[in-house]
Every structure is written in structure tokens, then in C-alpha cells.
Amino acid sequence: QVQPVESGGGSVAAGGSLRLSCVAIGYRASSYCLGWFRQAPGKEREGVAAMHPPGGGRTYYGDSVKGRFTVSRDNAKNTLYLQMDSLKPEDTAMYYCATNSGDYCPSFAWFSLWGQGTQVTVSS
């Protein structure tokens, strides 16, 4: 069974940093598109960052996190990371790891398989 499993959420003051991790259970992270999404209370889920498999297409970010967040993967550990710097209170949300079980993902709309999420809370 394909399942992303997130960890690393927590509470941090504005301006601080957190790193989220997502372990791929039941599939090889190096073969698939992987991404991060978030959902704040009362808001729709939004794309944060996404990347193609190595040698594939581009890595891209949501407009609100460009320049502050960095997505990366460690294929040996079958893990996806999200380094979040210069955090703002508006970054507070449940963060989800996702895959589309494929190697092509030109936009956030192409993702369909979600983890359970990890909470990030940024205080002002």
C-alpha cells in the first residue's frame, strides 16, 4: 500500500525554522512526483512545493513560500523534506505530503495521494 508519512511539525515563533520529513511507505520516492501541501482552518488546501523524480521535470513552489521554503529528497532514505525558514503566522496549517504515483506532475493539481498530515503553528 502506497502511503506518505509526515513528521517534524511543531510550534515555532515567527522568523524561526522547521524541517518537515515525509517517508515513502510502499513505494520508491525516487521514482515518483512528490509534493507538500497545506491547509489552514477554514481555507482550501494549497500547494506548497513539488518536485519530479531525478532527471525529470522542474521543481516548483507556491507563490506564498517562494524564497523561504526549500523542498528536497534523499533517495537513499526514501524521504522527502521541506525546509521552512523565515516562518510567518500565516504559515500556520496542517501540512501534508503527497504523491501521484507517477513521474509527471506539471502542476499541483496532478497530486492525488495524501498522508495524514503534521501540524505547524507559528506564533507572532
Side-chain angles (χ1 to χ4, degrees), residues 24-120:
I25 305 298
Y27 62 102
R28 293 180 64 184
S30 60
S31 298
Y32 292 154
C33 283
L34 302 172
W36 287 99
F37 293 72
R38 67 186 183 185
Q39 188 168 20
K43 295 187 177 180
E44 293 186 354
R45 184 157 48 193
E46 66 170 331
V48 174
M51 60 190 318
H52 285 81
R58 67 190 180 104
T59 296
Y60 49 95
Y61 296 87
D63 289 341
S64 61
V65 306
K66 286 180 181 177
R68 299 189 298 122
F69 291 10
T70 304
V71 64
S72 62
R73 69 170 81 203
D74 184 331
N75 292 328
K77 296 182 177 179
N78 216 32
T79 300
L80 179 74
Y81 300 101
L82 182 68
Q83 178 66 41
M84 305 185 294
D85 298 317
S86 302
L87 283 161
K88 304 175 181 180
E90 51 264 44
D91 294 318
T92 295
M94 185 71 78
Y95 282 72
Y96 298 90
C97 180
T99 182
N100 68 348
S101 300
D103 61 4
Y104 183 63
C105 48
S107 75
F108 290 120
W110 283 66
F111 287 83
S112 57
L113 184 66
W114 315 92
Q116 295 299 307
T118 185
Q119 178 68 37
V120 171

Side-chain angles (χ1 to χ4, degrees), residues 7-13 17-20 84 87 91-93 95 118-123:
S7 63
S11 298
V12 64
S17 298
L18 280 175
R19 189 177 78 157
L20 305 183
M84 305 185 294
L87 283 161
D91 294 318
T92 295
Y95 282 72
T118 185
Q119 178 68 37
V120 171
T121 302
V122 184
S123 58

